[in-house]
Amino acid sequence: MKRIIYLVLCFCFVLEASAQVKVGAAVRKITPDPLLPVSGGVGTPRPVKENKGDLFVRAMVVEKGDTRVAFVGIDNLGWPALLGDQSRKLIKGIPPENVMIGATHTHSGPDAYGFPNEKGEILADFEYLEWCVQQVADAVNEAVDKLEPAHLKIAVGEAKGQIAYNYYAPQLYDPRCGVIQAIGQKGKNKGKVIATLVNYAVHPEVIGNGREILSPDLCGPLYDRIEEKAGGVAIFMNGAQGGMVTADNRRPEGKEANDWEECIRIGELLADQALSIIESAPMQADPSLFCTSKRVQFPVDSELMRMIIDNSGLKPLVTDDYLLSTQVNLVNIGSAQILTIPGEALPNIGYYLKRNMKTDHPFLFGLTNDAFGYILTKVDYNSFKRYEYVSRTSLGEMTGEIYIREALEMVEENPASDSF
């Protein structure tokens, strides 16, 4: 009888241990050497003379039972699925569809799209991009190797101070900052931070692409500040920052601060706000973990976007009649629910999605899995002069409608299971 009780207890212990949440994190530096021209969008990349801060790939892997997911942030304007899929083939132990790669959207990084310029030339450095593909895979694989028991802290709160504003309509932006922090629970890392993921909507374009500087922009100082104060690995995932939620570098005299010092001010302020938001969050010792994905198709109606697709050195998955296919993910992790966005959704779309997500802790990972320009609703598309640019650089009038419908279907089918 004692032996039976002992075996049952051992079985329960193994079952509990196997279902324990584990987290690992890793970093790879991807600053090109020698430095490469930087791209802020369509056109010829601009030459650079120096770098302020380094570019990184930052990965956080979360595992519970048979489910394993990876969140990857990369310092670039955007990261096409073609590059992401190459990394996914090199990643061990994670289903490819569970690897979510998001661009920070710095406007001071090398061209990763293979944009054609006005002469039809493609000036992206494909050898560099191939190397970055390997660095993404290496970072995720290392994070898998480092998986260890962890508890999570999750919170969403308002990031206060002069961080972001909407260039088109100053108050039309989302000040909420979502934070997921993993705390080690065994061995030398018990009680120590493994990783802190910050989700906030802002264009990191303090420096931009016209100052002859390669830079992670405000994200670099954010990483440094979080890692200095909390330890572990810091990761930034952008949000619904389209049209035009940018860094608030305004000065009273009507000028803007466009230097590295301003990147430090904004990055450190956002980092401090994120750490303040997560500080008092309750520990989630047994959070759930669920991940699903679907393929979504968008018609490409914009002549500019068709031209880019036809002439890009990194062609997306598109049919002959310009139907473009991409992946959208939904992740439920503890009290958080995460939706990925394959581009730059305007703030009203972000607000609407968060309002309909069944959690108090909604997260939107913009420019993730793909980065297809601006995503706006059909009532906004080409409706007034202010949105001429974002309409021209959107796939088309129905992009927002299709994305909202498909995303909310996923939310309805897979409600978040934890609440705090």
Side-chain angles (χ1 to χ4, degrees), residues 81-138:
L82 185 64
L83 296 176
D85 288 344
Q86 291 174 17
S87 294
R88 291 178 177 100
K89 291 177 182 177
L90 303 172
I91 291 169
K92 306 166 189 173
I94 306 179
E97 64 274 13
N98 284 17
V99 178
M100 287 147 275
I101 304 173
T104 63
H105 201 55
T106 175
H107 282 230
S108 308
D111 176 17
Y113 285 95
F115 282 132
N117 66 10
E118 60 277 1
K119 298 178 183 178
E121 300 170 317
I122 296 173
L123 301 175
D125 188 312
F126 291 101
E127 185 176 344
Y128 168 74
L129 295 178
E130 184 178 345
W131 177 71
C132 287
V133 163
Q134 185 65 58
Q135 301 313 301
V136 170
D138 288 350

Side-chain angles (χ1 to χ4, degrees), residues 125-193:
D125 188 312
F126 291 101
E127 185 176 344
Y128 168 74
L129 295 178
E130 184 178 345
W131 177 71
C132 287
V133 163
Q134 185 65 58
Q135 301 313 301
V136 170
D138 288 350
V140 175
N141 287 332
E142 182 183 334
V144 170
D145 290 341
K146 289 182 172 180
L147 282 168
E148 60 180 295
H151 292 172
L152 300 182
K153 294 174 73 176
I154 298 170
V156 175
E158 181 177 347
K160 299 177 181 179
Q162 190 180 346
I163 300 172
Y165 80 111
N166 192 327
Y167 182 78
Y168 290 167
Q171 298 303 313
L172 184 56
Y173 78 101
D174 190 348
R176 287 171 291 182
C177 175
V179 188
I180 300 174
Q181 191 172 72
I183 314 293
Q185 292 302 306
K186 282 195 175 179
K188 64 180 181 179
N189 285 333
K190 185 171 183 179
K192 294 183 179 180
V193 171

Side-chain angles (χ1 to χ4, degrees), residues 153-155 277-283:
K153 294 174 73 176
I154 298 170
I277 288 166
I278 200 64
E279 183 177 15
S280 60
M283 198 78 78

Side-chain angles (χ1 to χ4, degrees), residues 330-388:
L330 179 142
V331 180
N332 293 329
I333 176 170
S335 61
Q337 185 166 69
I338 301 166
L339 279 171
T340 66
I341 305 173
E344 302 177 61
L346 268 63
N348 56 339
I349 292 179
Y351 268 100
Y352 183 73
L353 290 170
K354 286 184 177 182
R355 179 160 62 83
N356 284 278
M357 294 166 74
K358 313 240 183 267
T359 175
D360 291 330
H361 296 150
F363 288 68
L364 299 175
F365 287 178
L367 300 123
T368 297
N369 298 331
D370 258 318
F372 293 134
Y374 292 104
I375 299 176
L376 60 166
T377 61
K378 65 180 180 181
V379 296
D380 286 332
Y381 185 86
N382 243 354
S383 293
F384 49 100
K385 189 174 181 60
R386 178 58 91 179
Y387 279 175
E388 281 182 0

Side-chain angles (χ1 to χ4, degrees), residues 32 84 170 197 202 208 316:
L197 185 152
V202 62

Side-chain angles (χ1 to χ4, degrees), residues 273-321:
Q273 289 294 298
L275 292 176
S276 176
I277 288 166
I278 200 64
E279 183 177 15
S280 60
M283 198 78 78
Q284 301 186 27
D286 186 30
S288 61
L289 179 63
F290 169 83
C291 180
T292 189
S293 65
K294 67 161 64 172
R295 302 299 302 184
V296 178
Q297 285 191 321
F298 300 104
V300 185
D301 299 322
S302 162
E303 291 300 321
L304 174 64
M305 298 300 277
R306 286 189 177 193
M307 183 276 291
I308 291 172
I309 288 170
D310 289 341
N311 297 282
S312 171
L314 295 165
K315 291 186 181 297
L317 185 61
V318 63
T319 65
D320 291 340
D321 55 349

Side-chain angles (χ1 to χ4, degrees), residues 56 61 193 196 224 278 285 305 387 410:
F56 290 98
V61 173
V193 171
T196 303
D224 293 343
I278 200 64
M305 298 300 277
Y387 279 175
M410 297 176 81

